[in-house]
Each structure stands twice: as C-alpha cells, then as structure tokens.
Amino acid sequence: MILIKSPREIEAMRRAGAVVGQFFEEVRPLIRPGITTWDLEEFADRYIRRCGVGTAFKGYMGYPAHICASLNDTVVHGIPSKERVIREGDILSIDFGVLKDGFYGDAAKTFAVGEIDPDSARLMETTEKSLFAGIEAARPGNRLGDISGAVQAVVEGAGYSVVRDFVGHGIGRSMHEEPQVPNFGMKGTGPKLHPGMTLAIEPMVNAGGWAVKVQGDGWTVLTRDGSRSAHFEHTIAITEEGNEILSIP
Ligand code: MF3
Ligand code: CO
C-alpha cells in the first residue's frame, strides 16, 4: 500500500528534508584531496548531534555508518574508512539520511574531487539531469512508470546505463515504503501518482554496463566492469500542482 501523507506530515518531512539538504551544503567544502571518507563520517556524526536528529542509516540492516561514501567504481553503500583517501580526479557519491519528528529524509549527490576527466563530469551531469527528469514526471495523473521511463531515457540517451539491482522507494515514517521506484521502465505503466505520496527518486548510473557486484563486506556495491558510477537522490512529495522537493535546505 502506498501511504498518503497529510499536509502536517508533509510539513514534518519538509523539516527532515531540510536537515538533509543543509548537510550537503556543509559537507561540500570539506571534500578535497587528502581527506578520508572517515573524516566525512565524523563530520556527519557531529552534524547529527548538532541538529538533534536521529541517524537513518547506522544500524539499518546492520549498516555501520551515518553516510555511504562511494568512490569512482563504487555504485552505492561504500562504508566510510580511515584507509580510503580521496584523491584529485575522483568522483565521490555521498548518501545521507536522517530521522526527525518521526519522519525520514534521504538524499544523495556525487561530487567531483578537484579536476576530473570530461567523461566523469558528463556522467555526473547526466545522472543529475536524469533525477530532475524523473522529478519532472512525478505529478498527479502520471504513473510511477512515467518517472522510471523519464530517468531511463535521459541516461540511455547519453550512452550510459541504469543500475537494475537497486531502486528508489517510498519514504515516510519508514525509510523504505512502497512503492519501489525503479530507474528503468515503461511510461504509462504502474500505479497512479496522487498528492501526498512521498518518494525518494535515486538514479544510479554507470558509465559502462549496468551489472554490479557486492564486495565481501556485504555492502559495497561496485560496477562489474570497473567503470565509474554516479548517484543523485532527492526526497519529494507529490502535490496538487506537481511536486515539491523536500531534501533541500
Ligand atoms: N539512499 C539509500 C537507500 O535509500 C540509503 C540506504 S543505505 C543503508 O536505500 F546503509 F542505510 F542501508
Ligand atoms: Co534512498
């Protein structure tokens, strides 16, 4: 069942989303060559305390950290590590969520570390563009497949591929609610979208093929062919007029 949130509940999700959105503003200037992904985890830990919010990821199915920090050929769920130094030319995807007043916010962005090669830049731009194409399609009267199809068209039109094994999701009092929001699929199919639905749309896009593999730690998801991967995510609400992005400061 897809849960419809009341205006009051959306208001609470707006507050959770604002904490997530502000995190990305504050973490961006910290991302530079020489720091480790653990340094960013420590920042997230301090940020969560300062905001007085709950962690969303740490403890979720045993996940050990507040953020996912996924470098280069890591698609998602990279575990922060003191050994993982960020280098000039890397691309770094950070995924972060919080629990505030009973509701979750969830978002992700991929950052360039210093100067990056042109194809990595195009991969990041395409992935963000595909997220916004999906958001554009998220309005009443449309169907879930319109979101999926819009994301897929942008990604494949640019010659990249959409990860199949992980998808976006409904979000609210649980981090993962119905429906699943795939980044591939057919326009005009699936459940109708209604005001009050809240979704996390999160394209994961590989420069090469879509196949992925999970590392021995049980979490880290890598591209099978070693190509780079980017990830952008927003939490949104369907409104009468269209939608509202909740995971912004
Ligand atoms: N944005 C991811 C998701 O929606 C974050 C979950 S990662 C986990 O699934 F570490 F919490 F599992
Ligand atoms: Co998510």
Side-chain angles (χ1 to χ4, degrees):
M1 196 187 37
I2 303 176
L3 298 171
I4 300 293
K5 279 75 178 183
S6 70
R8 275 183 60 114
E9 290 173 320
I10 302 274
E11 176 52 38
M13 290 192 66
R14 197 177 284 124
R15 291 194 298 271
V19 172
V20 173
Q22 181 60 26
F23 170 79
F24 284 99
E25 294 302 309
E26 296 191 24
V27 83
R28 183 189 301 278
L30 306 179
I31 299 168
R32 44 176 205 271
I35 67 151
T36 68
T37 53
W38 183 257
D39 294 327
L40 301 174
E41 170 66 13
E42 285 189 328
F43 172 74
D45 189 67
R46 292 195 300 275
Y47 181 80
I48 281 172
R49 288 164 203 276
R50 165 159 45 101
C51 297
V53 295
T55 188
F57 296 178
K58 197 169 181 172
Y60 178 82
M61 312 255 290
Y63 186 73
H66 298 304
I67 64 168
C68 303
S70 306
L71 278 159
N72 301 331
D73 63 335
T74 303
V75 179
V76 285
H77 303 167
I79 300 172
S81 160
K82 287 174 185 161
E83 264 74 68
R84 200 72 201 260
V85 179
I86 296 169
R87 307 274 182 213
E88 175 91 17
D90 285 346
I91 60 171
L92 173 65
S93 301
I94 298 181
D95 195 338
F96 179 66
V98 302
L99 173 63
K100 180 175 167 60
D101 304 333
F103 287 90
Y104 284 90
D106 186 9
K109 288 186 199 304
T110 303
F111 298 90
V113 182
E115 286 280 308
I116 60 170
D117 65 90
D119 195 53
S120 294
R122 195 172 73 90
L123 174 69
M124 288 172 52
E125 284 158 18
T126 300
T127 307
E128 190 167 27
K129 199 171 143 206
S130 76
L131 168 60
F132 282 98
I135 292 172
E136 185 66 31
R139 49 188 147 82
N142 269 5
R143 293 179 182 272
L144 192 67
D146 292 309
I147 300 175
S148 307
V151 172
Q152 184 175 18
V154 170
V155 172
E156 294 182 352
Y160 297 130
S161 43
V162 164
V163 170
R164 302 293 200 266
D165 304 59
F166 299 88
V167 296
H169 48 95
I171 179 168
R173 290 188 185 276
S174 303
M175 184 162 67
H176 295 143
E177 293 183 351
E178 285 181 43
Q180 292 196 1
V181 184
N183 300 299
F184 54 95
M186 294 242 301
K187 294 184 183 179
T189 66
K192 271 211 162 149
L193 302 174
H194 295 287
M197 289 181 176
T198 45
L199 304 172
I201 305 176
E202 51 177 318
M204 289 146 268
V205 176
N206 297 349
W210 57 260
V212 299
K213 61 185 178 192
V214 180
Q215 213 167 263
D217 60 19
W219 282 105
T220 312
V221 177
L222 301 160
T223 60
R224 228 173 233 285
D225 59 14
S227 67
R228 287 187 165 193
S229 189
H231 181 208
F232 283 84
E233 175 178 23
H234 268 308
T235 298
I236 67 154
I238 309 289
T239 62
E240 299 288 345
E241 300 77 31
N243 64 69
E244 177 184 345
I245 300 177
L246 302 175
S247 48
I248 49 174

